[in-house]
Amino acid sequence: MPIPERLNPTVGFGRAVAADPLEEARKRLIVALDVPDAASAANLVCQLENTCHWFKVGLELFVAAGPAVLKPLVARGHSVFLDLKFHDIPNTVAGAARSAADLGVRMMTVHAAGGPAMLAAARAALDGVANPPELLAVTVLTSMDKTQVNSVGVDRSPAKQVELLARMGLDAGMRGFVCSPQEVAQLRALTGPAGVLVIPGIRPAGSVIGDQKRIATPGDALRQGASYLVVGRPITQAPDPAEAAEAILKEMAEVL
Ligand code: C5P
């Protein structure tokens, strides 16, 4: 399995009772380090590393700080999700996937909209490396509602587009997907228990929604079938990030 055993969810999508629900919740919470530089990332990790196991490095931090920003995270034993959402010709994406695997990350993303040939090339590239990261296909960004989806020439609802992309991804050999909490139940029905469903757009009750459109609370997302939750601003912009993470973990634990 690409995900280390200690971080792999062991119960079925919130329906069984976990032996230690809080530990199970820790395995499923990914903190998005959406900060502008390595020093800010190090500061956040310092505050959160006793609470959280997974950290996501996305475009903002990676473009500012480069691959070097991943090294201390990996060296300190954290699991790193490299969320660069590759979308290019198959040969280029296959090479980028190999390069990402060399950096020691445990999850990485490509855009499902890159098409079946691109997805299959990325999958094949990772099948050729030892202990590969989990490859996730991003379906429709959680910041896109129907108006946004339609404005790029896709004449259907976000939910229908997510389903189309997921079916195409499954046919191309994918098992991991990123989707909004609003489509997670539909995707879980499609993938069955083997699917690795990673869900951003998580907002605890009462928190600021920001640019996200298709959102849910941590508990609801897990109940609907999420494997992992991605949470950024509700933790990273809280006055006390560790306290905010603990509150989310407690909410998650209640349904595990
Ligand atoms: O701050 P917030 O909790 O909204 O952060 C969500 C994170 O998940 C961001 O890093 C964003 O890039 C990422 N993401 C997303 N929607 C997707 C895929 C990734 O919001 N479909």
Side-chain angles (χ1 to χ4, degrees):
M1 285 293 293
I3 309 287
E5 205 42 53
R6 74 184 175 89
L7 294 177
N8 212 15
T10 51
V11 293
F13 326 118
R15 282 187 284 277
V17 176
D20 183 343
L22 206 55
E23 268 318 296
E24 187 63 27
R26 264 183 241 289
K27 293 178 186 174
R28 294 168 175 245
L29 177 63
I30 303 173
V31 180
L33 297 175
D34 292 328
V35 290
D37 53 60
S40 311
N43 181 32
L44 262 178
V45 170
C46 227
Q47 296 179 67
L48 287 167
E49 66 186 350
N50 292 326
T51 312
C52 303
H53 293 318
W54 278 94
F55 294 99
K56 180 172 92 71
V57 174
L59 285 167
E60 180 181 7
L61 180 58
F62 194 82
V63 170
V69 77
L70 305 174
K71 278 199 182 144
L73 291 172
V74 173
R76 289 168 84 85
H78 304 312
S79 283
V80 178
F81 171 10
L82 184 62
D83 184 22
L84 300 181
K85 303 184 181 69
F86 298 141
H87 188 165
D88 209 315
I89 60 170
N91 186 58
T92 300
V93 169
R98 272 190 295 272
S99 297
D102 285 347
L103 296 171
V105 304
R106 307 303 326 142
M107 277 185 194
M108 55 170 290
T109 42
V110 294
H111 264 294
M118 191 203 81
L119 294 178
R123 187 58 282 144
L126 291 181
D127 287 344
V129 305
N131 200 19
E134 188 74 50
L135 180 66
L136 307 169
V138 177
T139 54
V140 176
L141 295 172
T142 41
S143 58
M144 294 184 85
D145 56 13
K146 189 169 188 306
T147 309
Q148 293 284 312
V149 169
N150 294 165
S151 71
V152 295
V154 174
D155 194 19
R156 57 178 77 84
S157 66
K160 287 260 179 288
Q161 179 67 356
V162 166
E163 180 163 347
L164 181 145
L165 290 170
R167 284 186 190 280
M168 180 268 287
L170 287 169
D171 287 346
M174 301 287 306
R175 70 166 192 170
F177 297 94
V178 182
C179 69
S180 95
Q182 290 180 9
E183 298 93 34
V184 64
Q186 165 196 356
L187 235 67
R188 177 58 69 198
L190 260 185
T191 66
V196 177
L197 304 184
V198 178
I199 313 301
I202 302 299
R203 291 292 179 270
S207 64
V208 177
I209 292 172
D211 57 350
Q212 296 285 22
K213 299 241 161 56
R214 300 179 354 268
I215 58 170
T217 63
D220 281 345
L222 285 179
R223 272 188 285 268
Q224 300 289 317
S227 311
Y228 296 86
L229 307 185
V230 176
V231 182
R233 290 162 287 182
I235 292 176
T236 59
Q237 293 185 7
D240 182 338
E243 195 180 283
E246 285 291 359
I248 289 173
L249 287 166
K250 272 199 198 117
E251 182 178 339
M252 293 169 70
E254 277 164 23
V255 298
L256 292 171

